[in-house]
Amino acid sequence: MKTLILLRHAKSGWDDHGTRDFDRRLNAKGERAARLMGQLMRDRGLSWDHAIASPAARVVETLEQVSVGYGRTIEPEWDRRAYLASASMLLDLIHAAPAEAETLLMSGHNPGLEELVLMLVPDRTGDPLRDEVEAKFPTASLAVMTCNGDNWGAITAGKCTLTLFTRPRDLDPGLGPDAD
C-alpha cells in the first residue's frame, strides 16, 4: 500500500491584472487557509517521504504557509510539468516517484488534482468523500488516498481509496465561498 496526499494551492488573488498566471500570489484568505491545513495535517499525524509540487508562485506560497501551520518545512521536488497538469500528467509524475517513498505529497492545481482523485478512486454508490470531491475540490483542500500496489508505478485508475477529504471551510466557516 502507498499513501498519496494531494493538496490544492490556496486562494490566490487577481488584483494585479498584469501578472502572469504562473506568478499569481496568495491573498490573505489563502494564507490563512494554508496555515490551517498545515495544522490539520500535523494534528492528523500526516507525514510524507517525498513531495512533488508545481513551481507556480501560489503553490510555493501555499507550501510555505502549510509549513508554518505544520511546524515542518516542506522541501518538494519542484516540477514544472505539475503546473496546470492534467490528471494523466500527474499520474506520470506519481509513477516516477522514488520507490522507497511510502507516502507522497503532491501540490498543484485544478482541474488536474480533482480529476486525478476521480480517476484513482472508483465511483461507488454511497461514497460521500468521493461525492464531495466530484462536487468541487476547492482551493487549499486536502485529499488523502491509500492505493493498492507496492510501487508507485502500480498505481492505476480505480485502485485507491479516499480516506480523507477536507476543505478549509470544514475547519473554519469563514474560509467558505460566501465568506469575505
Side-chain angles (χ1 to χ4, degrees):
M1 296 284 275
K2 296 287 189 180
T3 301
L4 180 59
I5 302 170
L6 301 179
L7 175 68
R8 184 173 174 204
H9 68 79
K11 190 111 179 114
S12 58
W14 288 97
D15 298 338
D16 184 356
H17 296 290
T19 301
R20 295 181 317 151
D21 179 73
F22 187 85
D23 298 322
R24 285 189 310 141
R25 302 179 60 106
L26 296 186
N27 63 24
K29 187 175 175 181
E31 290 176 355
R32 195 168 98 234
R35 284 191 302 272
L36 193 58
M37 295 312 277
Q39 291 170 3
L40 170 78
M41 293 168 73
R42 180 194 63 222
D43 293 347
R44 291 285 184 117
L46 295 176
S47 63
W48 53 91
D49 308 300
H50 188 70
I52 300 170
S54 162
R58 60 193 179 273
V59 176
V60 172
E61 290 182 355
T62 295
L63 293 180
E64 288 170 355
Q65 293 302 316
V66 167
S67 294
V68 170
Y70 191 89
R72 170 186 170 189
T73 301
I74 300 171
E75 298 176 359
E77 171 188 335
W78 301 107
D79 195 317
R80 181 90 182 194
R81 294 173 296 172
Y83 173 63
L84 302 179
S86 66
S88 61
M89 173 53 73
L90 294 172
L91 188 56
D92 286 348
L93 295 174
I94 291 165
H95 287 165
E100 64 275 5
E102 293 299 318
T103 302
L104 176 64
L105 170 64
M106 179 175 276
S107 187
H109 313 267
N110 253 5
L113 289 176
E114 178 179 320
E115 291 169 355
L116 181 63
V117 173
L118 299 178
M119 175 197 305
L120 295 178
V121 177
D123 188 6
R124 295 186 183 112
T125 303
D127 184 347
L129 292 179
R130 189 185 188 283
D131 292 346
E132 287 179 20
V133 170
E134 192 168 10
K136 188 170 184 185
F137 196 113
T139 53
S141 290
L142 181 75
V144 180
M145 293 174 278
T146 55
C147 303
N148 292 330
D150 56 358
N151 66 69
W152 292 108
I155 307 302
T156 58
K159 298 296 182 185
C160 299
T161 301
L162 187 60
T163 60
L164 176 69
F165 178 63
T166 304
R167 303 162 295 203
R169 71 175 178 233
D170 298 331
L171 305 173
D172 178 350
L175 294 170
D178 298 328
D180 295 301

